[in-house]
Amino acid sequence: MIEPISATPRPQPSAETKEAAKAFEAMMLRQLLQPVLPNDGAAPLALDTLAKQLAETAPFGFARLIGDSK
């Protein structure tokens, strides 16, 4: 008998996979937020910082789907 996918245990992601997932989430957030912020000299740095902080503190699901087993 074939077991359902949900019954199959997922392997634990490595630390590298988790970091890559967070970086991917930060990149996606940066792309989503880019049209919102003004296009001046400080905006790119602020946008990068904001996206990284959001990916670290309030995961929107990308990182969880890719590299987190929770």
Side-chain angles (χ1 to χ4, degrees):
M1 180 176 180
I2 299 174
E3 291 185 34
I5 293 174
S6 60
T8 306
R10 287 181 62 187
Q12 293 296 321
S14 66
E16 292 86 15
T17 303
K18 288 181 180 182
E19 284 301 313
K22 287 179 186 177
F24 177 75
E25 184 157 350
M27 181 191 68
M28 293 294 294
L29 288 168
R30 185 181 194 289
Q31 294 298 317
L32 290 171
L33 293 171
Q34 193 170 15
V36 177
L37 293 178
N39 193 9
D40 61 7
L45 181 59
L47 184 59
D48 285 340
T49 303
L50 177 61
K52 287 177 187 175
Q53 288 296 318
L54 284 172
E56 287 287 328
T57 59
F60 291 91
F62 302 118
R64 191 173 343 116
L65 288 172
I66 295 171
D68 197 0
S69 61
K70 294 179 184 175

